[in-house]
Amino acid sequence: MPAVQQTDQNSGDIAERLLAHYDVHARTLPWRKLPGQGFADPYHVWLSEIMLQQTTVAAVGAYFRTFTQTWPNFAALAAADDADVMAAWAGLGYYARARNLLKCARVVVSEYQGQLPSYEADLLKLPGIGPYTAAAIAAIAFGRRAVVVDANVERVVSRLFAISTPLPQAKPHIRAATDSISPELRAGDFAQAMMDLGAGICSVRSPSCLICPIQSACAAFRAGNPEIYPAKLPKSAKPHRSGHVYWIERDNHVWLLRRDDRGLLAGMRALPDDGWTARIDGDAIPPAAANWQKLPAQVAHIFTHFSLTVNIAVTSWPADADGPGEGEWWPLKSLDKAGLPTLFRKVTEAVLNAGER
Ligand code: SF4
């Protein structure tokens, strides 16, 4: 069987059918303009695309609203305090995106007068913008023809053309196949129509082929096996790490530090730990000699490349004690404003629930 099968319709038919379906069924999203309403604000498209990288639409909505209310354009975001932006991003994960977001906003203001460039080649030079994001912005915000391939589009196209090469080797085939069906006009609507199809009808499990607007062109539907696409190599298991997180309390404050600018959760506010990373377990050496009490509860967390289980050790210090190393005493009553990443929020909850402070 060839790695890529032909559809039995021409590419124009596929785009036409998909766009007609999109005109009626487009999802309403806070960053989107519906068909016929013109192009969406480039700032909104950029912000949402960065937030949506490896994150679901449902999770992004509230963050998008907070960011656009607090920083309504590139100029406002470029002038923001780094710590405020990192705190507003807390919980969304993949924190390198937030740091690149700030860098990108500042370049857009300093080099492009606060207006995002519209060509993919220029967009690709900006921090945090890779090929997918550049194509999506060029198409959705500026109507330029671009080949936009996210995970949803990858699934739809690999089924449409029955691409049997496993990912990631299939990516060039999928891109070429997507290119072959991408129209010159309404490029942004087409990209969003493909994303919607993948997010709804052409779902990972049990695609709803009977109501699919491009069913008659779909090679996988004809073969009766859409679920086997996109083909994937068996996954290797994530490594598992263990370590400790330390809770030092003093007079209704807890000791927080700022993580290194490089590595996991770089630059984020955090509780002290014992040095675990994706590659090594923690060394169980606390940040200071003290009367540490180990909580019975452990906290589990899954990062992109490894899973982690942490033990929690707590200690209570006199009101005038200095903290260990660099950091700050943060009031317990406003811990929700500290912008702690999800792992440390889970630890905080475990400590507060244990009532061991
Ligand atoms: Fe996906 Fe089924 Fe439509 Fe093919 S027919 S694109 S498998 S929903």
Side-chain angles (χ1 to χ4, degrees), residues 28 68 98 105 111 168 253 281 307 328 342 355:
T28 301
T68 48
E111 294 182 22
H253 289 66
D281 291 335
S307 59
E328 59 192 319
T342 306

Side-chain angles (χ1 to χ4, degrees), residues 156 159-160 197 201-202 207-209 212 214-215 218 220-221 226:
V156 173
R159 289 172 174 174
L160 196 55
L197 190 74
I201 291 175
C202 196
S208 307
C209 300
C212 175
I214 52 174
Q215 175 215 88
C218 182
F221 172 73

Side-chain angles (χ1 to χ4, degrees), residues 26-354:
R27 282 182 294 174
T28 301
L29 299 171
W31 45 87
R32 184 180 269 185
K33 281 277 198 304
L34 291 174
Q37 293 182 346
F39 297 128
D41 180 336
Y43 176 69
H44 289 182
V45 176
W46 165 76
L47 184 61
S48 64
E49 287 298 340
I50 302 294
M51 288 182 164
L52 287 164
Q53 290 166 6
Q54 287 133 333
T55 308
T56 62
V57 166
V60 163
Y63 285 88
F64 177 82
R65 277 185 282 275
T66 300
F67 267 70
T68 48
Q69 278 160 14
T70 314
W71 303 291
N73 50 42
F74 282 104
L77 187 59
D81 189 78
D82 289 36
D84 291 343
V85 173
M86 297 307 284
W89 192 275
L92 208 47
Y94 301 96
Y95 295 94
R97 292 182 298 169
R99 289 188 292 282
N100 280 329
L101 195 77
L102 269 170
K103 279 190 208 159
C104 183
R106 288 167 184 159
V107 174
V108 169
V109 167
S110 64
E111 294 182 22
Y112 295 94
Q113 294 77 48
Q115 306 295 321
L116 207 56
S118 67
Y119 287 97
E120 279 180 85
D122 295 324
L123 288 161
L124 272 171
K125 292 179 194 151
L126 294 170
I129 296 188
Y132 160 73
T133 308
I137 294 170
I140 298 169
F142 300 105
R144 299 200 180 283
R145 186 184 186 277
V147 181
V148 184
V149 187
D150 71 352
N152 282 327
V153 175
E154 223 159 49
R155 183 168 59 259
V156 173
V157 170
S158 65
R159 289 172 174 174
L160 196 55
F161 291 85
I163 296 174
S164 54
T165 308
L167 285 170
Q169 287 79 1
K171 281 179 182 287
H173 303 306
I174 293 174
R175 191 177 189 287
T178 310
D179 195 1
S180 75
I181 59 170
S182 296
E184 290 296 330
L185 298 176
R186 298 192 66 190
D189 283 350
F190 179 76
Q192 293 177 105
M194 289 288 278
M195 292 173 191
D196 280 14
L197 190 74
I201 291 175
C202 196
S203 55
V204 177
R205 291 178 203 90
S206 323
S208 307
C209 300
L210 295 179
I211 57 167
C212 175
I214 52 174
Q215 175 215 88
S216 61
C218 182
F221 172 73
R222 279 200 304 278
N225 58 2
E227 291 89 352
I228 69 168
Y229 301 100
K232 287 184 181 152
L233 294 172
K235 270 192 184 167
S236 54
K238 289 187 189 208
H240 182 76
R241 300 290 172 226
S242 62
H244 289 73
V245 170
Y246 299 96
W247 179 275
I248 308 170
E249 191 170 322
R250 184 196 86 168
D251 189 25
N252 290 319
H253 289 66
V254 64
W255 183 251
L256 298 184
L257 45 76
R258 181 79 63 185
R259 292 178 65 87
D260 280 352
D261 283 341
R262 290 175 180 278
L264 189 72
L265 306 175
M268 299 298 293
R269 218 174 254 127
L271 293 158
D273 64 57
D274 62 348
W276 42 262
T277 68
R279 283 177 296 282
I280 53 168
D281 291 335
D283 57 14
I285 299 173
N291 179 24
W292 293 102
Q293 306 288 322
K294 193 168 157 187
L295 291 194
Q298 292 181 315
V299 165
H301 190 70
I302 296 177
F303 292 101
T304 328
H305 303 303
F306 71 109
S307 59
L308 176 72
T309 304
V310 292
N311 296 292
I312 305 167
V314 302
T315 185
S316 192
W317 288 8
D320 58 351
D322 290 333
E326 284 187 24
E328 59 192 319
W329 293 108
W330 191 276
L332 292 180
K333 64 177 188 313
S334 58
L335 254 182
D336 57 332
K337 309 261 182 345
L340 292 175
T342 306
L343 165 68
F344 295 103
R345 290 220 306 264
K346 288 184 189 171
V347 170
T348 297
E349 271 168 36
V351 173
L352 300 181
N353 289 340

